[in-house]
Amino acid sequence: MESLHIELSQNLKQKPDPGALGFGQYFSDHMLTMEYSLEAGWHDLKIVPYGPIALDPSAMVFHYGQEVFEGMKAYRTAAGELVLFRPDMNLKRLNDSCERLSIPQVEPSTLLQGITELIKVDASWIPSGEENALYIRPFIIATEPCLGVRASHTYKLLVILSPVGSYYPEGIHPVSIHVEQRYVRAFRGGTGAAKTASNYAASIKAQEDAKKSGYSQVLWLDGAESKYVEEVGSMNVFFKVNGEVITPELSGSILAGVTRDSVIALLKSWGVPVSERKVAMEELVEAHQKGWLEEAFGTGTAAVISPIGSMKWGELELNIAEGKIGELSKKLYDTITGIQRGLLDDPLGWRYPIK
C-alpha cells in the first residue's frame, strides 16, 4: 500500500439518532480521496475531513457523465468485530464499471486497505440497531477541465461513509411494484451492467410516477421487446415458481449484484433449484394464474432482501404470497444478515474482518 496520509477533523459532528437514520442522509467525519493523472497514475491517497470538493465548471464529469460508483456496508458483529461483506466482489465490479466508462482501473488491494483505514478512523459512526449499518460509497469522477468529447485525463476517487437504517420504510415487509412499460432502464450493449450515474438518473422519472400511483418501486423490462424482466428498481429480482427460483440472466444490461450472487450460492447450497435465464411477464402471469408464483423478491446491498407483495402490469394486479413475506425470502434475509453480523457461521468465507 502506498503511503496513506491521515488528517483528522478538528470539528467532529454530532451523531444522529440510530433509530431514525433513514438511508444516506448523514455522513461521517472523514472521507478517503485519491487522484489520477496520465503521468502519475493513481496516487496521493488520503483520509481527510469530510467536506466540499473544488471542481472546475468545465470538469468533464458535469458534461459527459464519466462517473462510476459502488455500494458496500460495514457491520459491527455480536462479538464487537468490524467486518465487511464480500468487498472483493464490489471492487471487481467497480473496475468492471471503470472499464465500460473508459476510466482507469484501481488496484483493489490499495483501495480496500484505504477503505478499512477510513472505517477504523470513523468506527464510532457504525450505528447500533438490528437493521443498521455503515454504508460505504466509493466513487470516481472525471475532473479534467475540457469540453472535448473523449475520456478525461484526470480523475478523483472518493469514499464517503453514511450510517444507515432500512432502505425502505416498509423494512422487510412486502412492497408493491409497478411494471414499467413506457420507459426503459437499459439496453444490451449499453451501460446497464455498469454502476454509473446515468443509469439511475434515467430511472427517476418512472420511479416518481410509480410512487404517485401508490407503488414502492418499478419493475423494469428489457429495452428491445419490453417483454422480459430485468431489474426491480436498482435491485436484481428473483421469482419462486413451482418450487424453482428464477432470476434474469446477466445479459449485458443487468447489474451483477453481490447480493444476487450470494443468494444464488445459498440456494444451491440448500439444494433449491435455481436458474438464470430469460423470464417473460407472460410466463409470470401464467404462473400466477395456475397458483405457481409462490414468492418474488429483490436483492441488493441497501435492502438485502425486499419481498414483493404485488405487481401491477397494465390492468392486471398480481398478488403474491398473500402479501406476506415468503418463507424462502425470510430465510435468505435472516441467513445473509446473520452472516454479515456474525450471528451465523460463515462457511463460504464472505465476512472480511477489519483489523
Side-chain angles (χ1 to χ4, degrees):
M1 181 177 179
E2 72 168 74
S3 177
L4 172 65
H5 173 76
I6 299 178
E7 178 189 344
L8 296 179
S9 174
Q10 300 303 308
N11 298 291
L12 300 182
K13 306 173 187 176
Q14 181 176 348
K15 295 179 177 64
D17 177 359
L21 290 173
F23 194 89
Q25 300 179 49
Y26 304 97
F27 301 95
S28 71
D29 291 308
H30 299 88
M31 61 186 185
L32 183 75
T33 69
M34 189 159 54
E35 306 292 333
Y36 177 89
S37 68
L38 290 179
E39 299 77 19
W42 285 107
H43 64 283
D44 201 16
L45 188 65
K46 296 180 181 178
I47 292 174
V48 297
Y50 181 96
I53 59 174
L55 289 174
D56 195 288
S58 62
M60 296 179 79
V61 65
F62 297 136
H63 304 277
Y64 307 120
Q66 226 189 339
E67 182 269 0
V68 296
F69 67 97
E70 262 303 324
M72 312 159 59
K73 284 180 178 177
Y75 309 86
R76 192 183 301 276
T77 69
E81 184 181 34
L82 303 183
V83 300
L84 300 172
F85 182 73
R86 308 191 73 182
D88 55 321
M89 288 199 68
N90 287 102
L91 299 184
K92 178 185 182 303
R93 190 172 64 182
L94 178 68
N95 274 333
D96 289 344
S97 297
C98 286
E99 172 67 22
R100 181 62 183 87
L101 273 291
S102 292
I103 294 173
Q105 297 191 9
V106 183
E107 172 55 46
S109 61
T110 297
L111 180 53
L112 182 55
Q113 290 181 56
I115 289 172
T116 59
E117 290 302 318
L118 176 63
I119 293 169
K120 286 192 284 187
V121 168
D122 277 351
S124 63
W125 280 86
I126 300 180
S128 59
E130 183 179 343
E131 294 189 354
N132 296 345
L134 187 66
Y135 186 77
I136 305 161
R137 170 53 60 88
F139 60 104
I140 301 172
I141 57 175
T143 56
E144 182 185 359
C146 177
L147 298 183
V149 183
R150 56 165 174 77
S152 176
H153 293 163
T154 61
Y155 298 87
K156 189 177 188 72
L157 179 149
L158 298 99
V159 182
I160 56 177
L161 307 177
S162 176
V164 298
S166 177
Y167 185 77
Y168 291 112
E170 300 93 335
I172 189 62
H173 301 293
V175 297
S176 57
I177 300 297
H178 171 73
V179 182
E180 182 58 42
Q181 295 178 280
R182 180 181 178 188
Y183 299 108
V184 173
R185 191 194 77 90
F187 282 85
R188 185 177 300 187
T191 59
K195 205 164 177 65
T196 184
S198 59
N199 293 338
Y200 297 80
S203 72
I204 291 173
K205 172 62 176 171
Q207 291 177 7
E208 287 183 338
D209 290 349
K211 288 183 179 179
K212 288 176 184 177
S213 299
Y215 297 93
S216 297
Q217 260 301 351
V218 168
L219 182 68
W220 295 103
L221 302 180
D222 71 287
E225 300 179 71
S226 193
K227 176 179 179 180
Y228 297 101
V229 171
E230 295 222 322
E231 294 188 7
V232 57
S234 57
M235 297 182 292
N236 297 116
V237 66
F238 289 76
F239 304 94
K240 187 184 179 194
V241 178
N242 200 24
E244 178 189 23
V245 177
I246 305 166
T247 190
E249 62 188 357
L250 300 178
S251 58
S253 59
I254 296 174
L255 190 69
V258 176
T259 311
R260 174 189 185 275
D261 184 85
S262 304
V263 164
I264 292 171
L266 287 173
L267 292 173
K268 290 181 177 179
S269 73
W270 296 340
V272 177
V274 56
S275 62
E276 301 174 65
R277 61 172 175 82
K278 286 185 176 182
V279 53
M281 275 304 303
E282 288 89 348
E283 177 185 349
L284 296 177
V285 169
E286 181 181 0
H288 182 265
Q289 292 171 342
K290 292 180 177 179
W292 294 349
L293 183 54
E294 300 166 355
E295 296 185 41
F297 54 91
T299 66
T301 297
V304 186
I305 301 291
S306 181
I308 298 172
S310 66
M311 297 192 299
K312 179 70 178 300
W313 183 45
E315 298 302 316
L316 293 175
E317 185 87 31
L318 280 63
N319 294 309
I320 305 169
E322 300 179 342
K324 300 176 182 178
I325 303 170
E327 181 180 344
L328 187 60
S329 303
K330 184 67 163 59
K331 183 179 180 181
L332 285 164
Y333 178 83
D334 288 344
T335 302
I336 292 175
T337 57
I339 292 172
Q340 289 170 337
R341 299 181 184 280
L343 301 173
L344 296 177
D345 291 338
D346 181 25
L348 297 175
W350 287 343
R351 277 197 302 266
Y352 179 89
I354 298 173
K355 299 178 180 178

